[in-house]
Amino acid sequence: MSETTASETRQLPVRGVHHLVLTTDDMKVTIDFYTEVLGMKLVHAMKVPPGLGTGKANRGNPPFENLRHYFFDMGNDSMLAFFEMPKGVRKHGDRDDLGNMQHVSFVVTAQMQLAMKERLIAMGYEAHGPIRVSPGSDSLYFKDPVNDIRLEFSTAPAQGEHQNVMGNRSQTKAMARK
């Protein structure tokens, strides 16, 4: 019996990412960057209801009351969200510390990756790449200028318009453990 790869069809307990939540202390500039520069659509905005920040009903929200919580469409039925933290009460995290998010990578076509590189540079942002990061996979790296979050546009150029993330990265368990 052969080992299965991660790309083979099977029933998983999750379908994908519903939303990934990051933090900012400047929601206006964050909205401008993610909508105007990266082209994501702002799809939902809310204030965390009273009591959910510091009260008994807190379910893991940041420990502040009345925070704004905004959601952006990042494609394929998943969202990127931000909590707006009060200015000056939290420091920027080190992306390489344990438990912190190191970076976010978005799936794009090779054509879109190059177009976004041109767009970022034309708008005054640094963009590095595309860089071949593994066989058949290229990445473009840049930063969210407001929150110092490392971002990446990843593509498998040979896959054209039909990017298949799992198909491009799947290995057997034995291969992954080498």
Side-chain angles (χ1 to χ4, degrees), residues 77-142:
D77 201 31
S78 57
M79 296 177 288
L80 180 65
F82 282 87
F83 276 114
E84 184 176 37
M85 306 297 278
K87 235 182 215 329
V89 299
R90 296 283 193 214
K91 63 180 177 58
H92 280 273
D94 182 331
R95 68 186 178 99
D96 294 323
D97 280 347
L98 295 178
N100 284 353
M101 186 190 70
Q102 217 279 334
H103 69 278
V104 177
S105 180
F106 303 104
V107 180
V108 295
T109 64
Q111 182 179 359
M112 181 56 70
Q113 186 183 62
L114 294 175
M116 289 306 294
K117 178 179 182 173
E118 290 174 8
R119 179 182 179 90
L120 287 162
I121 291 170
M123 295 178 90
Y125 300 99
E126 288 186 28
H128 304 282
I131 298 164
R132 178 63 41 113
V133 294
S134 65
S137 185
D138 296 347
S139 292
L140 177 72
Y141 297 98
F142 58 103

Side-chain angles (χ1 to χ4, degrees), residues 133-153:
V133 294
S134 65
S137 185
D138 296 347
S139 292
L140 177 72
Y141 297 98
F142 58 103
K143 280 195 174 182
D144 166 331
V146 182
N147 307 298
D148 200 33
I149 300 167
R150 185 174 188 202
L151 302 172
E152 175 181 1
F153 286 135

Side-chain angles (χ1 to χ4, degrees), residues 161-176:
E161 295 294 312
H162 304 285
Q163 295 290 304
N164 178 346
V165 175
M166 295 305 297
N168 191 52
R169 285 292 176 118
S170 292
Q171 298 176 320
T172 64
K173 191 185 229 182
M175 290 166 61

